[in-house]
Amino acid sequence: MAADLLARAQAGDATAFDSLVAPYRRELHVHCYRILGSFQDAEDAVQETLLSAWQGLAGFEGRAALRTWLYRVATNRSLDALRAGARRPAAMTTVPRVEPPEPTRTSEVGWLQPYPDVLLDDLPDDAPGPDAVVATREAISLAFITALQLLPPRQRAVLILRDVLGYRASEVANTLDTTEESVTSALKRARATLRDKLEHRGSLELAPGAGSTTERQTVERFVEAFVAHDVPAIVALLSEDAWVKMPPMPFEYQGRAAAERFFTAMSPPRGRTMHVVHTRANGQPAFAAYVADPTAGVWRSVGIVVLTLAGDLVREVTRFDAAVLPSFGLSRILPRPAAGT
């Protein structure tokens, strides 16, 4: 059947082409996301990939598997996007009507978006290649995606292709039009950088299972404190080395004392009412936060908060702005029931 679809697609049958590539669309999207760190940029890269594949399909000779060939196209379209420079808004350095406290550090990653778990459920159940060394759970975590963005683009691509997808050095060299020696050297440098940056590796084993009682109760306690803006309760749920981050705002805060200063400075207006919608991102618990607009009678989103857990504590709080909500199937505005209903 695949051979028949390929033959028809190479003859110009667009419907056959769509059927041929459909099984790979979601995993290609995740691949582009890992390289680009942006859900929306990944969407664009996948569209460019499929267009390039359609235009170049007549030259596909089957010397590599179709999946491998599509990954080659997707990798190079993503690298092209990085070279061209995506049209992204400048990093925020101020918050209206709020003066953030002095940060622990300024983020090295200029842009990052979360990835909805509901789309990860659509991934094929195929095992990665024999050379894969990064566990599936780690390979989509926010910490791993963030660390990838610190690598030069080609090192980033090499590490993903080798350590996440398990392609052999010869296959990666063919994808990037380079030598195996160059791939091996780039991989060595990329692994060294990630060892320095991935502070979360040890804590991943301590993270409770998705949907477990510990995860659910920890998230419930944090959400309750967050909605009430109970700063002592929020801080009590943080690990000693916890981080608070807010991409694309570059300021980051580490430790309970810094987190306390941050959440105190971000004190909301008196009488604020908040509503949350639970979701998941990058294999981690998350929630969309909404505040009441009493004039319009609606809830207006103020973003999505993703939690990284370590046991029954929160090791990282990452807040993304409301622009990412559509990728989660969530609206920026929700109807608010009238009082008493």
Side-chain angles (χ1 to χ4, degrees):
M1 184 179 295
D4 176 62
L5 283 175
L6 177 60
R8 287 162 48 199
Q10 289 180 316
D13 186 334
T15 300
F17 175 76
D18 287 342
S19 298
L20 190 68
V21 301
Y24 309 108
R25 283 178 183 265
R26 182 53 56 202
E27 60 178 296
L28 290 173
H29 192 277
V30 173
H31 177 60
C32 294
Y33 169 73
R34 287 187 176 114
I35 295 176
L36 298 167
S38 162
F39 184 93
Q40 187 56 57
D41 289 349
E43 291 268 280
D44 296 340
V46 169
Q47 292 305 313
E48 290 290 332
T49 295
L50 297 179
L51 177 60
S52 296
W54 170 244
Q55 294 172 338
L57 190 63
F60 175 65
E61 300 175 351
R63 286 179 289 186
L66 177 66
R67 178 176 182 267
T68 299
W69 181 70
L70 289 172
Y71 267 100
R72 178 180 185 179
V73 178
T75 299
N76 284 289
R77 292 295 77 77
S78 296
L79 293 177
D80 287 345
L82 289 175
R83 281 190 289 267
R87 293 190 296 273
R88 297 168 173 171
M92 299 168 52
T93 55
T94 60
V95 178
R97 299 180 298 277
V98 174
E99 182 64 33
E102 185 69 22
T104 302
R105 70 182 182 193
T106 300
S107 175
E108 300 175 68
V109 177
W111 188 255
L112 185 70
Q113 290 183 331
Y115 200 94
D117 271 24
V118 66
L119 299 182
L120 297 174
D121 293 340
D122 295 336
L123 287 177
D125 199 23
D126 296 332
D131 288 354
V133 299
V134 179
T136 300
R137 179 183 181 186
E138 180 179 2
I140 198 61
S141 70
L142 270 183
F144 187 76
I145 299 299
T146 301
L148 285 175
Q149 308 314 303
L150 300 173
L151 298 174
R154 285 177 71 85
Q155 286 186 30
R156 197 181 311 176
V158 166
L159 187 132
I160 294 168
L161 290 167
R162 290 282 282 124
D163 284 2
V164 176
L165 296 170
Y167 282 112
R168 294 179 172 83
S170 59
E171 294 172 310
V172 178
N174 182 60
T175 293
L176 298 175
D177 291 320
T178 189
T179 64
E180 289 187 44
E181 291 76 11
S182 177
V183 166
T184 300
S185 177
L187 181 62
K188 182 178 180 180
R189 294 195 300 273
R191 284 173 173 171
T193 300
L194 258 66
R195 277 195 298 271
D196 291 338
K197 300 296 182 180
L198 282 180
E199 304 170 312
H200 76 300
R201 280 186 181 270
S203 68
L204 275 179
E205 295 182 359
L206 300 176
S212 66
T213 299
T214 298
E215 182 189 80
R216 185 176 64 255
Q217 291 178 344
T218 303
V219 172
E220 287 175 352
R221 289 197 299 269
F222 185 89
V223 167
E224 182 179 353
F226 186 88
V227 168
H229 199 74
D230 185 342
V231 175
I234 292 174
V235 172
L237 286 167
L238 302 179
S239 64
E240 291 286 353
D241 60 348
W243 283 97
V244 178
K245 304 178 181 181
M246 304 156 290
M249 193 171 182
F251 302 150
E252 299 181 346
Y253 301 85
Q254 185 180 34
R256 288 174 175 167
E260 182 176 17
R261 290 194 299 272
F262 170 77
F263 284 111
T264 299
M266 298 295 157
S267 181
R270 185 180 298 275
R272 180 197 71 174
T273 304
M274 181 171 276
H275 170 70
V276 304
V277 175
H278 289 273
T279 185
R280 296 189 69 86
N282 297 81
Q284 301 166 218
F287 60 91
Y290 296 80
V291 295
D293 181 338
T295 302
V298 297
W299 297 106
R300 296 189 183 277
S301 175
V302 292
I304 282 183
V305 177
V306 183
L307 303 177
T308 302
L309 305 186
D312 60 355
L313 295 176
V314 177
R315 188 160 190 263
E316 193 165 299
V317 181
T318 309
R319 179 263 181 190
F320 296 92
D321 63 33
V324 306
L325 264 71
S327 63
F328 286 79
L330 296 172
S331 174
R332 297 192 190 194
I333 299 177
L334 296 177
R336 186 180 179 210
T341 65

